[in-house]
Amino acid sequence: MISLVRGLRRLSAVSSTLYQMILARGPISVADYMRLALTNASTGYYMNRDVFGAKGDFITSPEISQLFGEMLGIWCVHLWRENGEPSSFRLVELGPGRGTLASDVVRLSRQFSGFDEALKVDMVEISPKMQELQRKALENFDKDTSSFRWFDSIQALPVESSSFTVFLAHEFFDALPVYQFVLTRRGWREILVDVVSNEAGGFRFVKAPGPTPALGFMENRVLPADLEALEVCPSAGLVTLEICRHLSCAKGAALVIDYGRDGPGGLTLRGFRKHSLHDVLLEPGSVDLTADVDFSYIKEFVGSSAKCLGPMTQREFLKKMGIDVRLRALEANASEDVAKDLHSGYNMLVGSTAMGSRFKVMTIISNGMVYPYPFLN
Ligand code: SAH
């Protein structure tokens, strides 16, 4: 016991909470580990710091180039026009990070009279620090203060049947906690996180010796015969159900953009720190944890309550939305340095070996709505 207490003193707040939890209850699910490491109120990775950009741990498309937010903004304007130019257009962004994407959409909206007046923005953000950054990003727009609102969960978001409602979820689903399972000779078993030893000093993955309640999350799933490992993200299912609840009361759509695949796959959970891969189990709370999104899982939760279209690659989506034309227009008026930055941002967003192919775009639309461009299947 003395060595444990001495050991705990060396650990970060997240590690020592995890340690005590595991010693008291036994190994915990990967989802519980992720939740504690990322969004625990006092110590979670996202809760108290700005994690983006050159000085942070990773960079996202809206931070790379304004072109990204502008293309999503154009998509919103298109939806608004196609659906009779409603007088209230509610944009709900899930996990808005620094608020850059929302600001780019609001800035673009000013070029479309009618849309500008109709637009209001609801931000769903769990982290007080991120909320603070988002308020700063939006404070300079001279819009009515009631046009921007914040909620700390999608469950807290009121349904507004009189507003045309569009959800944007960019790199949101990949941050939600996943359970992991592997196929053993005795059937599927959950992967758990255990301590390396009773004396503080690290965590390790173990296979549960017998069935655990989380195996219930795999029930009714149709899995490829050769699949030997699987991640399941029940939180993604719950968020999807909430989105569909809104889209069945209010006309609208959701745009989900994330890396991932359209079917169940293997184990993808990974950590990022300072723009490099980092051991998932080392220094929890100071490392970004992320897992590929299974778009087919989201579709299962949509069922018949709304309609899913896609996913298509980010490259295809951005090109069809006119990113090349916009790049040329911006370059024409830019200094040489700015033009260079615009071009390298563009290449990162649409490059077929990078984000352009790894990231996928899927939409969920209210039943009965005209399929929005560029989802014409
Ligand atoms: N969309 C942004 C940020 C992506 S990072 C961008 O592309 O730049 C993930 C974001 O989701 C962060 O803002 C994080 O604080 C937020 N987040 C993570 N889990 C969340 C949850 N359960 N509910 C609401 N926000 C969450």
Side-chain angles (χ1 to χ4, degrees):
M1 194 60 182
I2 289 169
S3 62
L4 168 64
V5 173
R6 208 179 287 138
L8 282 177
R9 258 193 242 124
R10 286 199 311 268
L11 292 176
S12 70
V14 180
S15 293
S16 80
T17 308
L18 280 162
Y19 234 93
Q20 291 172 58
M21 191 190 263
I22 294 171
L23 289 183
R25 298 196 338 215
I28 59 170
S29 69
V30 173
D32 283 344
Y33 175 84
M34 247 180 118
R35 195 175 290 113
L36 218 128
L38 291 182
T39 54
N40 173 265
S42 54
T43 50
Y45 172 76
Y46 281 118
M47 303 310 269
N48 319 298
R49 73 190 90 186
D50 182 2
V51 298
F52 303 97
K55 288 195 189 138
D57 295 313
F58 61 100
I59 187 149
T60 59
S61 295
E63 304 294 332
I64 289 172
S65 172
Q66 70 188 79
L67 289 164
F68 185 78
E70 288 177 353
M71 292 305 109
L72 266 54
I74 292 288
W75 191 74
C76 291
V77 174
H78 163 71
L79 276 183
W80 175 72
R81 286 197 170 143
E82 281 283 292
N83 288 279
E85 306 194 354
S87 60
S88 175
F89 186 99
R90 181 189 200 195
L91 185 69
V92 181
E93 189 178 354
L94 305 179
R98 276 182 176 166
T100 309
L101 173 53
S103 338
D104 287 341
V105 174
V106 175
R107 192 172 307 106
L108 176 119
S109 75
R110 297 173 145 185
Q111 295 169 35
F112 298 91
S113 133
F115 180 69
D116 180 24
E117 292 77 33
L119 179 66
K120 52 187 189 161
V121 182
D122 284 338
M123 307 286 247
V124 175
E125 174 58 66
I126 196 171
S127 155
K129 176 67 189 177
M130 296 289 171
Q131 285 200 9
E132 184 192 315
L133 297 173
Q134 293 153 17
R135 282 176 211 277
K136 272 201 195 119
L138 292 173
E139 74 189 2
N140 292 329
F141 292 104
D142 58 347
K143 275 181 94 73
D144 195 329
T145 44
S146 64
S147 304
F148 300 125
R149 300 187 299 183
W150 276 263
F151 300 89
D152 55 18
S153 73
I154 191 168
Q155 284 79 10
L157 194 74
V159 173
E160 274 175 22
S161 51
S162 56
S163 296
F164 191 89
T165 302
V166 171
F167 289 85
L168 293 182
H170 178 253
E171 288 216 46
F172 172 72
F173 280 94
D174 71 280
L176 299 178
V178 294
Y179 289 83
Q180 291 190 326
F181 305 95
V182 278
L183 189 60
T184 70
R185 269 178 294 155
R186 283 170 298 151
W188 285 94
R189 290 287 181 270
E190 188 180 356
I191 297 180
L192 302 170
V193 176
D194 199 358
V195 293
V196 170
S197 75
N198 278 2
E199 290 186 19
F203 303 99
R204 64 187 172 126
F205 289 115
V206 294
K207 267 181 237 165
T212 47
L215 284 177
F217 294 130
M218 290 181 59
E219 270 169 24
N220 306 323
R221 295 222 66 202
V222 182
L223 301 174
D226 58 351
L227 195 73
E228 291 182 350
L230 174 71
E231 277 166 353
V232 181
C233 182
S235 302
L238 293 178
V239 169
T240 306
L241 290 178
E242 282 298 314
I243 291 175
C244 292
R245 190 165 71 88
H246 284 261
L247 297 185
S248 51
C249 298
K251 200 171 173 192
L255 199 65
V256 179
I257 308 179
D258 231 308
Y259 37 77
R261 49 186 195 277
D262 194 15
L267 304 182
T268 66
L269 177 64
R270 55 207 176 275
F272 279 98
R273 191 164 174 189
K274 302 273 169 237
H275 303 271
S276 301
L277 278 170
H278 191 274
D279 189 330
V280 167
L281 296 180
L282 264 187
E283 300 162 273
S286 60
V287 177
D288 178 39
L289 299 178
T290 163
D292 281 5
V293 172
D294 175 357
F295 287 92
S296 72
Y297 187 72
I298 296 178
K299 286 179 187 174
E300 280 174 33
F301 280 81
V302 170
S304 60
S305 62
K307 171 97 187 140
C308 278
L309 303 169
M312 65 174 66
T313 63
Q314 173 165 304
R315 174 185 173 80
E316 183 183 356
F317 178 83
L318 293 177
K319 284 205 159 253
K320 285 186 168 163
M321 290 312 299
I323 193 169
D324 295 59
V325 177
R326 181 64 181 144
L327 173 70
R328 279 196 294 276
L330 287 171
E331 276 179 337
N333 300 313
S335 66
E336 206 173 306
D337 282 353
V338 173
K340 225 166 127 191
D341 281 355
L342 281 165
H343 216 85
S344 79
Y346 166 88
N347 284 337
M348 282 172 86
L349 297 181
V350 302
S352 48
T353 53
M355 297 170 100
S357 61
R358 288 218 58 211
F359 278 75
K360 309 282 189 304
V361 185
M362 183 172 88
T363 187
I364 306 169
I365 57 173
S366 295
N367 278 331
M369 206 170 99
V370 177
Y371 291 2
Y373 181 83
F375 299 93
L376 300 174
N377 47 329

